[in-house]
Amino acid sequence: MQRAARWSGMHVLLAAAAVAACLLPAAAAAGAAAAAVDAFLPPRLPDAALFQLLYREPNHFLQALGNISDTEGSLTRTFLSPAHRRAAGKLRKWMAAAGMRTWADQMANVHGVVKGLDADAPAIFIGSHYDTVVDGGKFDGALGIVAAVCAVKALLLEAAVGNGVVSAAEVERAVAAAAASGEGLDLADLLYDQAQAGRLIATPVRVIGFADEEGVRFHSTYLGSRALVGTLADVGVLRNIDNSGVSVAEALEQAGFDPSPASLRKMAIPRDKIKAYVEVHMEQGPRLQAAGRALGPVTAISGQSRLQAEIVGEQGHAGTVPMSLRKDPMAAAAEIIAGLERSCNGGNADGGPTNLDLASDESLVCTVGSMSIWPNAGNVIPGHLNFTLDIRSRWDANRKQIIAQLEQSMQALCARRGLSCRLHVKNEAAAVQSDEEVVEHLMEASVQAGPLVQRLFSQRQPLSPDPYGQPLQTCAAGAEGAAGCAGTQEAGGAPPLMVSGAGHDAMVFAEVTKMGMLFVRCKDGISHSPLEYVSPDDVAAATATLYQYLRRELLAAPPFPAASTS
């Protein structure tokens, strides 16, 4: 409850910040100053450069990455496949063009780093995954990497202009050439080398494309991020095999990597070298669209329990065994599943709660997604069956309460029906709370980026028809004429706070550092599908918000320090 009160208070503070965002030019003219970079100072880049880096390039890169697939006519890019390797090369090319030093580690994670003036200081890590599900979409995972690359590029270019390393006229010429060629802007055309780029920001930033989050090939999620936080060996996934009988370790060796214990230990990043982890990700749900908002910071990632229920009855003839003498596991399963749905506040057409004790937990979701029946014949009473259960909530106590109630009711039901029942826990992950400071800074950035996003929107062609089937308003402040990236429509402009029901690499990094996420609206909440879609405007809004976040965190206080070219 205390945490919820703090989030509520944060909204009040940001409401005032949203109004202030409308007054940016006046505040800047009055000489407002801040300890790091004044978050209210407008970016020091020409409009054409901002549009190129924050609107055109991220959308172009997403489409280009979405065309790299192992299957014709759909998007499938699994761990260490040929398409996976080509995608890694593309990411490294874009990172290098953004002024970063790049490499792939021994788990095929792709890194891009800018060292900063204090190269030994803890780094801000930003990332997501570049693998996909089978027949997936272009935005899941890829959006977070592309937004990070483009935001860092814009940050370095702004610092170069503010520092006098390059002139605004040079930038405009380079942007015009990049736009004409259809390729991205390459900072190598404007800066001498990556070392010079590193002297343009205060402390390090690292962008990571994680090699395997979905776990499609080896049924082992978070391979890439677990390797970097040093917990991969703990879960023993290197022995997992794919459908061809190849293990994770063998696949890595075949791809030219070293999966030895010593190599894995070397990959782990010291915890004192990580300042925070930030991930931009499509929402994968319908709430932002329903609220008419483009973005929402994530306050928590739900805990998850995956279980398997096993029910053993008596197999028999469908036409000759009387109903009163049957021991039918299918009928029992139906009763158990319906009861679970009610316990998790489902099953009411009007949306009203069916479990008043947990009615306030909107993050609680329960799913039965798979069932195996023996003998699975239309004229036979089943002898036994099992089915999967997936139970999630941001509150671990609520999730555990549902499981306890399920086991109790299941045993009572099976005893009444003369059946044998067992509930097996297959996997459990505790809920993860985002760091309040990181979330607060993301919320502030989403409001402060409002005028910048309006500048971007003024340069693109009007969207027609609207991709979300509703008025596309991305106004960070309620004042007339002020539009911004938070996608808010009410006065006050604070973005909505979100809870993630899906797992992300951010969960893994939360074990070792401060973590925050930013969700981006997607059409109809569809994900893991070719139909998943994030509008170009919302891609730009997310990239601009991340850029604004990094300006606050990484730019040295004005005036910029002198940067040597030696």
Side-chain angles (χ1 to χ4, degrees):
M1 293 299 293
Q2 290 178 343
R3 178 182 289 268
R6 287 194 292 269
W7 293 131
S8 178
M10 197 180 296
H11 261 95
V12 173
L13 292 173
L14 284 168
V19 175
C22 301
L23 307 175
L24 296 183
V37 124
D38 190 334
F40 289 101
L41 284 175
R44 302 173 170 137
L45 287 175
D47 281 359
L50 290 169
F51 185 77
Q52 173 70 24
L53 299 180
L54 302 178
Y55 197 107
R56 182 180 290 124
E57 287 193 12
N59 281 293
H60 171 72
F61 291 169
L62 281 168
Q63 297 305 313
L65 201 59
N67 290 330
I68 302 176
S69 174
D70 286 307
T71 56
E72 189 71 29
S74 66
L75 177 54
T76 300
R77 191 167 59 237
T78 58
F79 183 51
L80 298 180
S81 71
H84 190 265
R85 183 174 61 250
R86 296 196 304 273
K90 185 72 75 174
L91 291 174
R92 288 195 62 195
K93 176 182 176 181
W94 293 335
M95 289 174 174
M100 305 180 205
R101 182 175 68 86
T102 78
W103 71 96
D105 63 29
Q106 298 303 316
M107 196 56 66
N109 298 312
V110 178
H111 300 249
V113 67
V114 183
K115 287 189 173 182
L117 287 167
D118 185 357
D120 293 326
I124 291 177
F125 283 68
I126 319 168
S128 198
H129 60 97
Y130 69 97
D131 66 320
T132 75
V133 298
V134 175
D135 196 26
K138 296 181 178 181
F139 302 91
D140 180 11
L143 172 59
I145 308 171
V146 164
V149 169
C150 294
V152 169
K153 185 191 290 191
L155 182 80
L156 292 176
L157 191 57
E158 177 186 3
V161 171
N163 208 14
V165 175
V166 297
S167 68
E170 288 178 284
V171 170
E172 288 178 332
R173 287 194 293 271
V175 167
S181 69
E183 297 294 328
L185 178 67
D186 191 340
L187 291 193
D189 296 334
L190 295 168
L191 302 176
Y192 280 100
D193 57 23
Q194 293 160 353
Q196 185 185 34
R199 290 187 288 269
L200 294 172
I201 60 175
T203 53
V205 60
R206 188 187 300 197
V207 178
I208 305 178
F210 296 110
D212 183 70
E213 187 258 14
E214 300 289 3
V216 171
R217 180 176 177 184
F218 292 102
H219 311 289
S220 51
T221 55
Y222 314 126
L223 279 179
S225 51
R226 286 200 178 281
L228 293 179
V229 303
T231 61
L232 184 64
D234 299 341
V235 293
V237 298
L238 292 179
R239 295 186 296 273
N240 286 22
I241 60 173
D242 63 13
N243 292 336
S244 300
V246 177
S247 70
V248 174
E250 290 168 342
L252 286 165
E253 289 173 345
Q254 291 170 7
F257 296 113
D258 178 7
S260 66
S263 175
L264 292 179
R265 285 193 297 271
K266 187 176 180 181
M267 281 178 57
I269 303 166
R271 298 187 180 192
D272 62 355
K273 292 300 182 182
I274 310 174
K275 179 181 179 182
Y277 175 82
V278 175
E279 183 167 352
V280 175
H281 205 283
M282 64 179 293
E283 181 194 353
Q284 299 180 289
R287 295 192 176 186
L288 285 173
Q289 179 177 325
R293 313 290 185 92
L295 305 179
V298 175
T299 61
I301 302 175
S302 289
Q304 179 183 12
S305 294
R306 293 186 180 182
L307 310 101
Q308 184 177 67
E310 180 183 5
I311 308 177
V312 179
E314 229 175 62
Q315 187 173 324
H317 195 293
T320 62
V321 180
M323 297 298 293
S324 61
L325 298 180
R326 294 189 180 199
K327 296 181 179 180
D328 186 348
M330 178 65 82
E335 193 172 343
I336 291 167
I337 294 168
L340 177 66
E341 182 184 41
R342 288 191 298 273
S343 295
C344 297
N345 286 304
N348 265 4
D350 62 4
T354 50
N355 182 353
L356 295 179
D357 288 345
L358 299 178
S360 62
D361 187 357
E362 294 184 357
S363 70
L364 176 63
V365 290
C366 303
T367 305
V368 174
S370 174
M371 181 177 287
S372 175
I373 307 164
W374 179 262
N376 198 27
N379 61 346
V380 179
I381 302 166
H384 63 85
L385 59 79
N386 57 65
F387 56 91
T388 63
L389 303 103
D390 185 308
I391 301 172
R392 308 187 191 203
S393 171
R394 71 168 296 180
W395 308 113
D396 287 335
N398 292 353
R399 174 172 52 85
K400 293 176 181 179
Q401 179 181 330
I402 289 293
I403 295 171
Q405 291 174 348
L406 170 67
E407 180 133 37
Q408 183 179 22
S409 62
M410 183 173 167
Q411 292 299 333
L413 184 149
C414 287
R416 171 168 56 85
R417 288 177 169 268
L419 305 170
S420 172
C421 295
R422 292 186 64 188
L423 192 62
H424 307 274
V425 178
K426 295 295 185 180
N427 183 61
E428 282 200 305
V432 172
Q433 306 299 320
S434 300
D435 180 79
E436 292 181 12
E437 181 182 56
V438 175
V439 172
E440 180 180 1
H441 289 183
L442 286 171
M443 292 174 73
E444 291 171 351
S446 73
V447 173
Q448 294 158 1
L452 167 60
V453 174
Q454 183 64 12
R455 289 166 66 182
L456 299 177
F457 290 176
S458 69
Q459 297 179 72
R460 57 100 166 103
Q461 295 296 318
L463 295 180
S464 180
D466 167 59
Y468 298 112
Q470 60 186 29
L472 186 63
Q473 300 184 32
T474 51
C475 182
E480 181 70 19
C485 67
T488 60
Q489 294 175 348
E490 297 88 3
L497 296 172
M498 308 293 293
V499 174
S500 175
H504 301 283
D505 290 297
M507 294 183 75
V508 176
F509 267 77
E511 299 172 13
V512 298
T513 190
K514 300 187 296 185
M515 175 277 291
M517 293 187 70
L518 185 68
F519 270 174
V520 187
R521 172 173 52 187
C522 58
K523 183 172 174 58
D524 298 331
I526 296 172
S527 182
H528 285 188
S529 162
L531 299 178
E532 74 179 26
Y533 176 80
V534 178
S535 79
D537 274 11
D538 288 355
V539 170
T543 308
T545 293
L546 185 58
Y547 164 58
Q548 178 63 27
Y549 172 83
L550 292 176
R551 292 179 78 226
R552 170 176 177 159
E553 300 292 329
L554 297 176
L555 286 184
F560 289 87
S564 168
T565 59
S566 60

